[in-house]
Amino acid sequence: MRKTKWFAVVVSAAMMLPAIVPWAQTAHAADINVSITVDPTAERANISPYIYGTNQDFPNTADYAARRLGGNRLTGYNWENNASNAGSDWQHSSDDYLCSSSVSGCTVPGAAVSNFHDTSVANGSYSLVTLQMAGYVAADKNGAVSESETAPSSRWRQAPYAKGSPFSLTPDTSDGSVYMDEEVNFLVNKYGSAATSTGIRGYSLDNEPALWATTHPRIHPAKVGAQELVDRSVALSKAVKAVDPAAEIFGPALYGFYAYYGLQEAPDWPTVKGNYDWYIDYYLDKMKQASATEGKRLLDTLDVHWYPEAQGGGQRIVFGGTGSVDTQKARVQAPRTLWDPTYLENSWIASSFPGFLPIIPRLKSSIDAYYPGTKLAITEYSYGGEGDISGGIAQADALGAFGKYGLYFASFWKLETNSDYVNSAFKLFRNYDGNGSKFGDVHVKADTSDVANSSVYASVKDDTNSELHLIVVNKSFDSPLNANIQIAGGTSYTSGAVYGFDGTSTALNQAGTISSISGNQFTYSVPPLTAYHIVLQAGNPTPPSAPTGLTATAGNAQASLSWSASAGATSYNVKRATTSGGPYTTVATGVTATGYADTGLSNGTTYYYVVSAANAVGESANSSQVSATPSVPTIPPAPTGLTATAGNAQVALSWTASAGATSYTVKRATTSGGPYTNVA
């Protein structure tokens, strides 16, 4: 989806061509000495897995625990025929953009949503689906909508929130209305409720309503009102909850700070503002009041977007590419605006509204004051420089902050063609070793003595604290970080492994091991502009035991292996020989499943296999050997001994097994000799 952002007039419109600066240094400045303190017993809080989310899929979708179907296109989406409208992003075009490029059966109701959610179900991801709240959706796929065709007109269909009559799984496309609760009913019927493992968990109350008059003037030409947005939110939320009480409602999907502050100068804001500090307070309070009246919570998650306004070298860090060195330096510092009260970025927000920063504590303060228990989500964000190390560092820092400061949901929005460093930052938390290993689920206390040059985040997996995870980031462009790490508490850590990425490559690699830990203290050097994931083990870990139960099944030019899991193993190595007893050649490493298909083999040749297990400490001995001889499958002979025994409205058949057969086909005719029809 194309994404256009609109901001208050105080935002600079200046843009600069990106200047990509190579990371490689021929010489480093003096080391920066920092003290990092970690306490696995303090500040313990669960980290929501849904902070690792995205709006556009990367190839490694398993590394993303949440997915959002949102953006400008969704405001005019018609679930009955899958038409949507681009608004000012592209000629106010109504077309099949959401469906045609990737979905078959676009005439099927809800196909665009179903295609999206099918991927989430396959990955076990949280789906956040945008519902339409502006009043109208695209009626057709006939291209540009002129100003004279502004709703209401034949180019649009009304989008009432509640149908008020029985639902149909085949919606009436001729009644002039597209009902939101009927869409939810359709999805619940197909996937189950939000309480099930396959249901859609969350629904967003449209997208960036403060900008409707600019992004979607053919749907909602007038500026949205402060009270109007509350009324629409209450009505749509009630309609959704009536169909799926377990569904989580996200709102109001505000595009940025000026929407938080006054709903982009909503016409009635001066008259309703009263003693509220900003529109966020008013919205939360009104939603709480409506929830009390309704007898149920109508807003589960406060939903905002955050595209930093921070500048460096005269350029904003987002929407302009990588930028100059000064832009890059501003970018790696920008995540501090999420949480750090000692930091004031170079932006119009910091200049004119410093009391509202840092932004996460300020949003949480509003929640606590006006609607306690509401969760917090940032469903669109980017720090720019997505294909540059500065963007990777900023993204890793932001993910750490999201977990440390208790966000419930966050989903990255891709702005640039190359977002490889952003993807690496997600892998740092979600797949640091290439075997699916992840940052811990429980945040624990970790602090650094130098927040300008370094960041640290810590977690454990469970109450044993036996595995301690540290994300350590060096934000300096030219100085190594000499990190003196001290761990408190009663758990003694004896070894560790280090994984990460830097400015030379987006690839995550194992950078080293840690063995010299004394009194739970050690020192480790982090190169400039590098993000490390340090995994510390308690006690005296050992390599895993050799796998058992290895079997091999021959196929056509392949052999399928399976084995029993080894305790303590994080991956397996598959080894092959053409002589019994070896020597063996390793044909696969880093296998995380307990099975492997070895393909491209020569039929008629006998292959011998062993498997070993591995973890951060080392590799096990080999398993017992098995063998397999691939061959070309042959058609089995016809079954013999067929008998038929008549019964009451049925016939019982039996026959002698055919050598090599894996299944049988039963055929029937009412005329001797056929023709026959397959019946089983």
Side-chain angles (χ1 to χ4, degrees), residues 35-39 42-49 51-52 335-336 338-341 360-361 364 376 395-410 429 439-451 454-459 469-471 475:
S35 295
I36 290 175
T37 56
V38 183
D39 187 350
E43 294 184 4
R44 294 176 70 94
N46 290 335
I47 298 173
S48 171
I51 62 173
Y52 307 110
R336 293 172 65 187
L338 293 171
W339 63 271
D340 186 0
I360 290 179
K364 289 198 146 194
L376 179 60
Q395 180 65 48
D397 206 358
L399 289 174
F402 293 162
K404 181 172 184 176
Y405 296 101
L407 261 66
Y408 176 63
F409 187 105
F429 285 82
F439 193 59
D441 303 319
V442 181
H443 159 76
V444 298
K445 181 177 174 60
D447 298 293
T448 174
S449 61
D450 187 345
V451 295
S454 63
S455 294
V456 61
Y457 303 98
S459 69
H469 294 257
L470 306 178
I471 300 293
K475 295 181 278 191

Coordinates of all heavy atoms in Angstrom, one line a residue, residues 35-39 42-49 51-52 335-336 338-341 360-361 364 376 395-410 429 439-451 454-459 469-471 475:
S35 N 29.2 1.0 32.2 CA 28.8 0.0 33.2 C 27.3 -0.4 33.0 O 26.4 0.4 32.9 CB 28.9 0.6 34.6 OG 30.3 0.9 34.9
I36 N 27.1 -1.7 32.8 CA 25.8 -2.3 32.6 C 25.5 -3.1 33.8 O 26.2 -4.0 34.2 CB 25.7 -3.1 31.3 CG1 25.8 -2.2 30.1 CG2 24.5 -3.9 31.3 CD1 25.9 -2.9 28.8
T37 N 24.4 -2.8 34.5 CA 23.9 -3.6 35.6 C 22.6 -4.3 35.3 O 21.7 -3.8 34.7 CB 23.7 -2.7 36.9 OG1 22.8 -1.7 36.5 CG2 25.0 -2.1 37.3
V38 N 22.5 -5.6 35.7 CA 21.4 -6.4 35.4 C 20.9 -7.1 36.7 O 21.8 -7.6 37.4 CB 21.7 -7.5 34.3 CG1 20.5 -8.3 34.0 CG2 22.3 -6.9 33.1
D39 N 19.6 -7.1 36.9 CA 19.1 -7.8 38.1 C 17.9 -8.7 37.6 O 16.8 -8.1 37.5 CB 18.7 -6.8 39.1 CG 18.3 -7.5 40.4 OD1 18.1 -8.8 40.4 OD2 18.1 -6.8 41.5
A42 N 14.5 -8.2 39.6 CA 13.8 -6.9 39.7 C 13.1 -6.6 38.4 O 13.4 -7.0 37.3 CB 14.8 -5.9 40.1
E43 N 12.0 -5.8 38.5 CA 11.2 -5.2 37.4 C 10.7 -6.3 36.5 O 10.5 -6.1 35.3 CB 12.0 -4.2 36.6 CG 12.4 -3.0 37.3 CD 13.2 -2.0 36.4 OE1 13.3 -2.3 35.2 OE2 13.6 -1.0 37.0
R44 N 10.4 -7.5 37.0 CA 9.9 -8.6 36.2 C 8.5 -8.3 35.7 O 7.6 -8.0 36.4 CB 10.0 -9.9 37.0 CG 11.4 -10.3 37.4 CD 11.3 -11.6 38.3 NE 10.9 -12.8 37.5 CZ 11.7 -13.6 37.0 NH1 13.0 -13.5 37.0 NH2 11.2 -14.7 36.3
A45 N 8.4 -8.4 34.4 CA 7.1 -8.2 33.7 C 7.1 -8.9 32.4 O 8.1 -9.0 31.7 CB 6.9 -6.7 33.5
N46 N 5.9 -9.5 32.1 CA 5.8 -10.2 30.8 C 5.9 -9.3 29.7 O 5.4 -8.2 29.7 CB 4.4 -10.9 30.8 CG 4.3 -12.1 31.8 OD1 5.3 -12.7 32.2 ND2 3.1 -12.4 32.2
I47 N 6.7 -9.7 28.6 CA 6.8 -9.0 27.4 C 5.8 -9.5 26.4 O 5.7 -10.7 26.1 CB 8.2 -9.2 26.8 CG1 9.3 -8.6 27.7 CG2 8.3 -8.5 25.4 CD1 10.7 -9.0 27.3
S48 N 4.9 -8.6 25.9 CA 3.9 -9.1 24.9 C 4.6 -9.5 23.6 O 5.4 -8.8 23.1 CB 2.9 -7.9 24.6 OG 2.1 -8.3 23.6
P49 N 4.2 -10.7 23.2 CA 4.8 -11.2 21.9 C 4.4 -10.3 20.7 O 5.0 -10.4 19.6 CB 4.4 -12.6 21.8 CG 3.1 -12.7 22.6 CD 3.3 -11.7 23.7
I51 N 4.4 -7.2 20.2 CA 5.2 -6.0 19.8 C 6.1 -6.3 18.6 O 6.7 -5.4 18.0 CB 6.1 -5.5 21.0 CG1 7.1 -6.6 21.4 CG2 5.2 -5.1 22.2 CD1 8.1 -6.1 22.5
Y52 N 6.2 -7.6 18.3 CA 7.1 -8.0 17.1 C 6.2 -8.2 15.9 O 6.0 -9.3 15.4 CB 7.8 -9.3 17.5 CG 8.6 -9.2 18.8 CD1 8.3 -9.9 19.9 CD2 9.8 -8.4 18.9 CE1 9.0 -9.9 21.1 CE2 10.5 -8.3 20.0 CZ 10.1 -9.0 21.1 OH 10.8 -9.0 22.3
P335 N 14.9 6.7 19.3 CA 14.1 5.9 20.2 C 14.1 6.4 21.6 O 13.2 6.0 22.4 CB 14.8 4.5 20.0 CG 15.4 4.5 18.7 CD 15.9 5.9 18.5
R336 N 15.1 7.2 22.0 CA 15.1 7.7 23.4 C 13.8 8.6 23.7 O 13.4 8.7 24.8 CB 16.3 8.5 23.7 CG 17.6 7.7 23.6 CD 18.9 8.6 23.7 NE 19.0 9.3 25.0 CZ 19.9 10.2 25.2 NH1 20.8 10.5 24.2 NH2 20.0 10.8 26.4
L338 N 11.0 7.8 23.0 CA 9.9 6.9 23.5 C 9.9 6.8 25.0 O 8.8 6.6 25.6 CB 10.2 5.4 23.0 CG 10.0 5.2 21.5 CD1 10.5 3.8 21.1 CD2 8.6 5.4 21.0
W339 N 11.0 7.0 25.7 CA 11.1 6.7 27.1 C 11.9 7.6 28.0 O 11.7 7.7 29.2 CB 11.6 5.3 27.3 CG 13.0 5.1 26.9 CD1 13.5 4.7 25.6 CD2 14.2 5.3 27.6 NE1 14.8 4.7 25.5 CE2 15.3 5.1 26.8 CE3 14.5 5.7 28.9 CZ2 16.7 5.2 27.2 CZ3 15.8 5.8 29.4 CH2 16.9 5.5 28.5
D340 N 12.9 8.3 27.4 CA 14.0 9.0 28.2 C 13.6 10.4 28.6 O 13.6 11.3 27.7 CB 15.3 8.9 27.4 CG 16.5 9.5 28.2 OD1 16.3 9.9 29.4 OD2 17.6 9.5 27.7
P341 N 13.3 10.8 29.8 CA 12.9 12.1 30.2 C 14.1 13.1 30.1 O 13.9 14.3 30.2 CB 12.4 12.0 31.6 CG 13.1 10.8 32.1 CD 13.2 9.8 31.0
I360 N 5.9 7.4 25.4 CA 5.2 6.2 26.0 C 4.8 6.5 27.5 O 3.6 6.3 27.8 CB 6.1 5.0 26.0 CG1 6.3 4.5 24.5 CG2 5.6 3.9 26.8 CD1 7.2 3.3 24.4
P361 N 5.6 7.1 28.3 CA 5.1 7.4 29.7 C 3.9 8.4 29.6 O 3.0 8.3 30.5 CB 6.3 8.0 30.4 CG 7.5 7.4 29.6 CD 7.1 7.3 28.2
K364 N 0.8 6.5 28.6 CA 0.4 5.6 29.7 C -0.2 6.4 30.9 O -1.1 5.9 31.6 CB 1.6 4.7 30.2 CG 2.0 3.7 29.2 CD 2.8 2.6 29.9 CE 2.5 1.2 29.2 NZ 3.0 0.1 30.0
L376 N -1.8 -0.4 25.3 CA -1.2 0.6 24.4 C -0.6 -0.1 23.2 O 0.2 -1.1 23.3 CB -0.1 1.4 25.1 CG 0.6 2.5 24.3 CD1 -0.4 3.5 23.8 CD2 1.7 3.2 25.1
Q395 N 15.8 0.4 15.1 CA 14.8 -0.6 15.2 C 15.0 -1.5 16.3 O 14.1 -1.8 17.1 CB 14.7 -1.4 13.9 CG 13.6 -2.4 13.9 CD 12.2 -1.8 14.0 OE1 11.8 -0.9 13.2 NE2 11.4 -2.3 14.9
A396 N 16.2 -2.0 16.5 CA 16.5 -2.9 17.6 C 16.3 -2.2 19.0 O 15.7 -2.8 19.9 CB 18.0 -3.4 17.5
D397 N 16.7 -0.9 19.0 CA 16.5 -0.1 20.2 C 15.0 0.1 20.5 O 14.5 -0.1 21.7 CB 17.1 1.2 20.1 CG 17.5 1.9 21.4 OD1 17.3 1.3 22.5 OD2 18.1 3.0 21.4
A398 N 14.2 0.3 19.5 CA 12.8 0.5 19.7 C 12.1 -0.8 20.1 O 11.2 -0.8 21.0 CB 12.1 1.0 18.4
L399 N 12.5 -1.9 19.6 CA 11.9 -3.2 20.0 C 12.2 -3.5 21.5 O 11.3 -3.9 22.2 CB 12.4 -4.3 19.1 CG 11.9 -4.4 17.7 CD1 12.6 -5.5 16.9 CD2 10.4 -4.5 17.6
G400 N 13.4 -3.2 21.8 CA 13.7 -3.3 23.3 C 12.9 -2.4 24.2 O 12.4 -2.9 25.2
A401 N 12.7 -1.2 23.7 CA 11.9 -0.2 24.5 C 10.4 -0.7 24.6 O 9.8 -0.5 25.6 CB 12.1 1.2 23.9
F402 N 9.9 -1.2 23.5 CA 8.5 -1.6 23.5 C 8.3 -2.7 24.5 O 7.3 -2.7 25.2 CB 8.1 -2.2 22.1 CG 8.1 -1.2 21.0 CD1 8.1 -1.6 19.6 CD2 8.0 0.2 21.2 CE1 8.1 -0.7 18.6 CE2 8.0 1.1 20.2 CZ 8.0 0.6 18.8
G403 N 9.2 -3.6 24.6 CA 9.1 -4.6 25.6 C 9.3 -4.1 27.1 O 8.6 -4.5 28.0
K404 N 10.3 -3.3 27.2 CA 10.7 -2.8 28.6 C 9.6 -1.9 29.1 O 9.3 -2.0 30.4 CB 12.0 -2.0 28.5 CG 12.4 -1.5 29.9 CD 13.8 -0.9 29.8 CE 14.3 -0.5 31.2 NZ 15.7 0.0 31.2
Y405 N 8.9 -1.1 28.3 CA 7.9 -0.2 28.8 C 6.5 -0.6 28.5 O 5.6 0.2 28.6 CB 8.3 1.2 28.2 CG 9.6 1.7 28.7 CD1 10.7 1.6 27.9 CD2 9.8 2.2 30.0 CE1 12.0 2.0 28.3 CE2 11.0 2.6 30.5 CZ 12.1 2.5 29.6 OH 13.3 2.9 30.1
G406 N 6.3 -1.9 28.2 CA 5.0 -2.5 28.4 C 4.0 -2.2 27.3 O 2.8 -2.2 27.5
L407 N 4.4 -2.1 26.0 CA 3.5 -2.0 24.9 C 2.8 -3.4 24.7 O 3.5 -4.4 25.0 CB 4.1 -1.6 23.6 CG 4.0 -0.1 23.2 CD1 4.7 0.8 24.2 CD2 4.4 0.2 21.8
Y408 N 1.6 -3.3 24.3 CA 0.9 -4.6 24.0 C 1.1 -5.1 22.6 O 1.1 -6.3 22.3 CB -0.6 -4.4 24.3 CG -1.5 -5.6 24.0 CD1 -1.3 -6.8 24.7 CD2 -2.5 -5.5 23.1 CE1 -2.1 -7.9 24.4 CE2 -3.3 -6.6 22.8 CZ -3.1 -7.8 23.4 OH -3.9 -8.9 23.2
F409 N 1.1 -4.1 21.7 CA 1.1 -4.4 20.2 C 1.9 -3.3 19.5 O 1.8 -2.2 19.9 CB -0.3 -4.5 19.7 CG -0.5 -4.9 18.3 CD1 -1.0 -6.2 18.0 CD2 -0.2 -4.1 17.2 CE1 -1.2 -6.7 16.7 CE2 -0.4 -4.6 15.9 CZ -0.9 -5.8 15.7
A410 N 2.7 -3.7 18.5 CA 3.4 -2.7 17.7 C 3.6 -3.4 16.3 O 4.0 -4.6 16.2 CB 4.8 -2.3 18.3
F429 N 15.9 -10.3 18.0 CA 15.0 -10.7 19.1 C 14.3 -12.1 18.8 O 14.0 -12.8 19.8 CB 13.9 -9.6 19.3 CG 14.4 -8.4 19.9 CD1 15.0 -7.4 19.2 CD2 14.3 -8.2 21.3 CE1 15.5 -6.2 19.8 CE2 14.7 -7.0 21.9 CZ 15.3 -6.1 21.2
F439 N 14.5 -14.0 22.2 CA 14.6 -13.2 23.4 C 13.6 -13.7 24.4 O 12.6 -14.3 24.0 CB 14.3 -11.7 23.1 CG 14.7 -10.7 24.1 CD1 16.0 -10.6 24.6 CD2 13.8 -9.9 24.6 CE1 16.4 -9.7 25.5 CE2 14.1 -8.9 25.6 CZ 15.4 -8.8 26.0
G440 N 13.9 -13.6 25.7 CA 13.0 -14.1 26.7 C 11.7 -13.4 26.7 O 11.4 -12.4 26.2
D441 N 10.7 -14.1 27.5 CA 9.4 -13.6 27.6 C 9.1 -12.7 28.8 O 8.1 -12.1 28.9 CB 8.4 -14.8 27.7 CG 8.5 -15.8 26.5 OD1 8.7 -15.3 25.4 OD2 8.5 -17.0 26.7
V442 N 10.1 -12.7 29.7 CA 10.0 -11.9 30.9 C 11.0 -10.8 31.0 O 12.2 -11.1 31.0 CB 10.0 -12.8 32.2 CG1 9.9 -12.0 33.4 CG2 9.0 -13.9 32.1
H443 N 10.6 -9.5 31.0 CA 11.6 -8.4 31.1 C 12.1 -8.4 32.5 O 11.4 -8.6 33.5 CB 10.9 -7.1 30.8 CG 11.6 -5.9 31.4 ND1 12.7 -5.4 30.9 CD2 11.3 -5.2 32.5 CE1 13.2 -4.4 31.6 NE2 12.3 -4.2 32.6
V444 N 13.4 -8.2 32.6 CA 14.1 -7.9 33.9 C 14.9 -6.7 33.9 O 15.2 -6.2 32.8 CB 14.9 -9.1 34.3 CG1 14.1 -10.4 34.5 CG2 16.1 -9.4 33.3
K445 N 15.3 -6.2 35.0 CA 15.9 -4.9 35.1 C 17.3 -4.9 34.5 O 18.1 -5.8 34.8 CB 16.0 -4.5 36.6 CG 16.7 -3.1 36.9 CD 16.6 -2.8 38.4 CE 17.4 -1.6 38.7 NZ 16.8 -0.4 38.0
A446 N 17.6 -3.9 33.7 CA 18.9 -3.7 33.1 C 19.1 -2.2 32.8 O 18.2 -1.6 32.3 CB 19.1 -4.5 31.8
D447 N 20.3 -1.7 33.2 CA 20.6 -0.3 33.0 C 22.0 -0.1 32.5 O 22.9 -0.9 32.8 CB 20.4 0.5 34.3 CG 18.9 0.4 34.8 OD1 18.0 1.0 34.1 OD2 18.7 -0.2 35.8
T448 N 22.2 1.0 31.8 CA 23.5 1.4 31.3 C 23.9 2.7 31.9 O 23.0 3.6 32.0 CB 23.6 1.4 29.8 OG1 24.9 1.9 29.4 CG2 22.6 2.2 29.1
S449 N 25.2 2.9 32.1 CA 25.6 4.2 32.6 C 25.7 5.3 31.5 O 25.9 6.5 31.8 CB 27.0 4.1 33.2 OG 28.0 3.6 32.3
D450 N 25.6 4.9 30.2 CA 25.7 5.9 29.1 C 24.6 5.6 28.1 O 24.7 4.8 27.2 CB 27.1 5.7 28.5 CG 27.4 6.7 27.4 OD1 26.4 7.4 27.0 OD2 28.6 6.9 27.0
V451 N 23.4 6.3 28.3 CA 22.3 6.0 27.4 C 22.5 6.7 26.1 O 21.8 6.3 25.1 CB 21.0 6.5 28.1 CG1 20.7 5.7 29.3 CG2 21.0 8.0 28.4
S454 N 24.8 3.9 24.3 CA 24.5 2.4 24.5 C 23.1 2.2 25.0 O 22.5 3.1 25.6 CB 25.5 1.8 25.5 OG 25.3 2.3 26.8
S455 N 22.6 1.1 24.7 CA 21.3 0.6 25.2 C 21.4 -0.8 25.6 O 22.2 -1.6 25.1 CB 20.2 0.7 24.1 OG 19.9 2.0 23.7
V456 N 20.6 -1.2 26.6 CA 20.6 -2.5 27.1 C 19.2 -2.9 27.5 O 18.5 -2.1 28.1 CB 21.6 -2.7 28.3 CG1 21.2 -1.8 29.5 CG2 21.7 -4.2 28.7
Y457 N 18.8 -4.1 27.1 CA 17.5 -4.7 27.5 C 17.8 -6.2 27.9 O 18.7 -6.9 27.3 CB 16.6 -4.7 26.3 CG 16.4 -3.3 25.8 CD1 17.1 -2.8 24.7 CD2 15.5 -2.4 26.5 CE1 16.9 -1.5 24.2 CE2 15.3 -1.1 26.0 CZ 16.0 -0.7 24.9 OH 15.9 0.6 24.5
A458 N 17.1 -6.6 29.0 CA 17.3 -8.0 29.5 C 16.0 -8.7 29.7 O 15.0 -8.1 29.9 CB 18.1 -7.9 30.8
S459 N 16.1 -10.0 29.6 CA 15.0 -10.9 29.8 C 15.4 -12.3 30.2 O 16.6 -12.7 30.0 CB 14.1 -11.0 28.5 OG 14.8 -11.7 27.5
H469 N 19.0 -13.3 28.8 CA 19.2 -12.7 27.5 C 19.5 -11.2 27.7 O 18.8 -10.5 28.4 CB 18.0 -12.9 26.6 CG 17.7 -14.3 26.3 ND1 18.0 -14.8 25.0 CD2 17.2 -15.3 27.0 CE1 17.7 -16.1 25.0 NE2 17.2 -16.4 26.2
L470 N 20.5 -10.7 27.0 CA 20.9 -9.3 27.0 C 20.9 -8.8 25.5 O 21.6 -9.4 24.7 CB 22.2 -9.0 27.7 CG 22.4 -9.6 29.1 CD1 23.9 -9.2 29.5 CD2 21.4 -9.0 30.0
I471 N 20.2 -7.7 25.3 CA 20.4 -7.0 24.0 C 21.3 -5.8 24.4 O 20.9 -4.9 25.2 CB 19.1 -6.5 23.4 CG1 18.2 -7.7 23.1 CG2 19.4 -5.7 22.1 CD1 18.7 -8.6 22.0
K475 N 25.7 2.6 20.0 CA 25.1 3.6 19.1 C 26.2 4.6 18.6 O 25.9 5.5 17.8 CB 24.0 4.4 19.8 CG 22.8 3.6 20.1 CD 21.7 4.4 20.8 CE 21.9 4.5 22.2 NZ 20.7 5.0 23.0

